[in-house]
Amino acid sequence: MLDDLPIPLDRTAPEPLSVQVADALRAAATDRVLRVGDRLPSSRALAQRLGVSRAVVAGAYDQLHAEGWLTGKHGSGTYLSTAPATAPPTTDADHSTDPDAGLLDLSPGTPCADAVDSAAWRRAWRAAGDQTPQARKNRAGEPDFRAAIADHLLRHRGLAAGAGSVVLATSGTSAAVGELATALLRPGDTVAIEDPGYLRAVGAFRAAGIEVVPVPVDTAGLRVDRIPSGVRAVYCTPAHQFPLGAMLPAARRVELIEFARRTGAFIIEDDYDGELRYDTAPLPLLAAMAPDVVVHLGTTSKIIATTLGVGWLVARPDITDAVLTHRARVGSSPSPAGQRVLSEFARHGDLSRHLRRLRRVVPPRRAVVVDELARRGLPVIGDDAGSHVVVELPDPAAERHAVDTARARGVLLDGLTRHHIAEPHHFGIAIGYTALTSADLARAMPIAADSLAEACHRGTRAVVAWTRTTPVDYSKR
């Protein structure tokens, strides 16, 4: 039992405490402070030692269980897994500090870095650095940043942030979810969230003592009819459901809004990659349809850089006031550095030009992915928007086989199993196509597609593919 395991916590940081605990344990495993087979303290014992609620540690453990770092069940002990889903067994080679170093990474979630105009990017950083340091914190965010985001939302997402709504800067989606959970909810409140879904949001809610209720997803996204009564909020990704890629249709958006108005719940709309859309016209944002019940979250992590560390929140004034009151109470505010860079990047039109460039650069990469998969007869879902697609597999054994086979051949794949909140019921691979260069993507995809085809053929039951209303001719993409 590793009761003296060092886990530093920064209660002034924007990251939820459960995320900090999970990051510390993951680092301990990577650095071999924790070794395969080590038994971790119980969630209650570790929570007492750290001086946090048990929900904080439980949220961290749940996240690491989902990623494959931990194994075991409540009451029987929790152990470092022999085969974490996100990393192969470490060796004494240099890769022990980064077990995935050297692999061609097709995991979703990383933006297309080579689409950024380097000259424009350098100009933005220089201009941001020329500004005088602030004497006081601006808890709502830099005025220029908030104005730039309001313009961006109007131009590219059809959302007018006017008198009925306010734009705040955030430190990113996870931080914003944590703030909303603390500012608007109370420990013991219940939030509905898509399953499978974004586990960092789950961790942020649980760190605040909020109970998370998983809601199933189908071909049209969140099943509104399966949301239980009594929830205080619903978290969803309607533009491109993460990770399955479904787009919430207009009728179901209306149904969700009516549910929120009828029950008094509010909706958290995570628009993490809503700027990327291809063969279909964008549907109106939930926040544009119902600003009275929707909190809109956005981020630069999927369209520019994950390291910029800025995002935004749009909501009615009483909600933004509650968030600002929370920030004042805990002494937190989003960092101005990233806000200033984005403001300068947007000032002379470089942000809009970047988005237009993305829409030219990304579709050919998507075509490489769907063409390789289609040649092997593999059904693809979620390819109408965003920066990743999904290939369903018949069972967890097939998923594991695809991941292991591709890894052995130098390609990193992301299985759907680890994105579930409850018992996994969707199996397959989410393939991101924006992180790699075009050349590396062309090298990685035949390996990925072959690994998936082999796994599919080894499955114990037939793949039930999600059906389309019309056939897709991939040769024209």
Side-chain angles (χ1 to χ4, degrees):
M1 186 81 73
L2 302 177
D3 290 322
D4 58 347
L5 187 69
I7 300 179
L9 296 179
D10 182 359
R11 287 171 168 78
T12 66
E15 292 82 7
L17 293 177
S18 68
V19 174
Q20 296 183 44
V21 173
D23 287 347
L25 292 173
R26 200 181 293 107
T30 301
D31 295 340
R32 294 190 175 184
V33 176
L34 279 174
R35 293 181 179 273
V36 169
D38 280 346
R39 183 178 181 179
L40 273 66
S42 69
S43 58
R44 186 186 303 277
L46 186 55
Q48 289 176 345
R49 181 162 72 81
L50 297 177
V52 298
S53 72
R54 189 178 180 185
V56 169
V57 178
Y61 279 11
D62 286 346
Q63 173 70 27
L64 294 174
H65 268 291
E67 294 178 5
W69 289 101
L70 303 182
T71 188
K73 298 179 180 179
H74 296 299
S76 62
T78 301
Y79 301 84
L80 186 65
S81 173
T82 57
T86 54
T90 57
T91 67
D92 291 329
D94 291 341
H95 291 331
S96 61
T97 56
D98 184 359
D100 295 330
L103 297 180
L104 295 171
D105 192 353
L106 289 174
S107 302
T110 302
C112 187
D114 56 344
V116 178
D117 185 313
S118 58
W121 193 236
R122 287 194 297 270
R123 280 198 305 271
W125 278 93
R126 284 196 299 268
D130 287 340
Q131 298 182 37
T132 304
Q134 289 178 314
R136 305 184 64 164
K137 295 179 179 179
N138 192 327
R139 302 201 188 282
E142 299 281 295
D144 286 350
F145 172 82
R146 295 167 67 193
I149 293 304
D151 181 70
H152 166 76
L153 290 173
L154 181 61
R155 288 173 177 267
H156 300 283
R157 300 300 290 128
L159 176 61
S165 58
V166 178
V167 178
L168 297 184
T170 72
S171 298
T173 298
S174 297
V177 169
E179 289 183 322
L180 290 168
T182 305
L184 301 180
L185 303 173
R186 295 179 297 180
D189 282 348
T190 303
V191 171
I193 189 166
E194 301 158 326
D195 186 32
Y198 184 45
L199 293 188
R200 281 195 174 270
V202 174
F205 283 122
R206 287 178 171 165
I210 307 302
E211 181 182 350
V212 173
V213 177
V215 178
V217 178
D218 64 12
T219 57
L222 180 72
R223 287 281 304 274
V224 179
D225 62 324
R226 298 288 295 276
I227 301 175
S229 59
V231 300
R232 290 290 314 283
V234 179
Y235 170 93
C236 60
T237 52
H240 192 232
Q241 197 277 328
F242 185 85
L244 296 181
M247 179 173 57
L248 199 69
R252 199 168 287 188
R253 292 177 187 233
V254 171
E255 184 184 6
L256 178 58
I257 290 168
E258 290 176 347
F259 170 87
R261 287 173 173 161
R262 183 175 66 253
T263 63
F266 64 92
I267 302 165
I268 300 174
E269 175 184 40
D270 183 353
D271 193 49
Y272 68 100
D273 65 358
E275 292 87 352
L276 300 176
R277 185 162 300 280
Y278 310 111
D279 298 331
T280 60
L283 289 169
L285 292 172
L286 292 174
M289 297 172 66
D292 55 318
V293 293
V294 178
V295 178
H296 176 84
L297 301 181
T299 178
T300 59
S301 294
K302 304 300 181 289
I303 58 172
I304 301 178
T306 57
T307 55
L308 199 55
V310 293
W312 51 89
L313 179 158
V314 183
R316 62 180 196 247
D318 62 310
I319 290 178
T320 56
D321 285 347
V323 171
L324 292 176
T325 298
H326 164 71
R327 290 179 181 178
R329 184 171 62 249
V330 301
S332 68
S333 59
S335 171
Q339 296 177 55
R340 290 181 173 184
V341 172
L342 188 68
S343 300
E344 294 298 334
F345 194 57
R347 187 181 303 280
H348 302 295
D350 287 324
L351 176 58
S352 292
R353 281 188 286 273
H354 170 68
L355 291 174
R356 289 195 295 271
R357 179 176 172 81
L358 268 183
R359 293 179 183 122
R360 295 195 304 271
V361 169
V362 172
R365 301 186 186 195
R366 180 191 62 154
V368 169
V369 173
V370 296
D371 287 347
E372 287 288 346
L373 297 171
R375 274 196 286 270
R376 291 157 181 83
L378 295 169
V380 179
I381 60 176
D383 59 325
D384 292 328
S387 56
H388 76 273
V389 301
V390 170
V391 176
E392 288 192 304
L393 291 172
D395 51 43
E399 179 184 304
R400 185 73 256 169
H401 179 81
V403 171
D404 290 345
T405 302
R407 185 191 297 278
R409 298 170 181 173
V411 173
L412 186 64
L413 296 180
D414 184 27
L416 295 179
T417 297
R418 76 182 191 95
H419 296 291
H420 283 81
I421 303 168
E423 188 71 20
H425 50 278
H426 285 282
F427 308 105
I429 301 295
I431 300 177
Y433 48 83
T434 52
L436 297 179
T437 64
S438 297
D440 282 344
L441 186 65
R443 289 170 50 210
M445 272 312 301
I447 295 172
D450 285 343
S451 301
L452 281 159
E454 293 171 20
C456 187
H457 295 152
R458 287 169 56 95
T460 59
R461 58 185 172 86
V463 177
V464 180
W466 288 12
T467 59
R468 296 178 181 272
T469 55
T470 57
V472 176
D473 182 357
Y474 291 108
S475 66
K476 296 181 179 179
R477 295 193 171 190

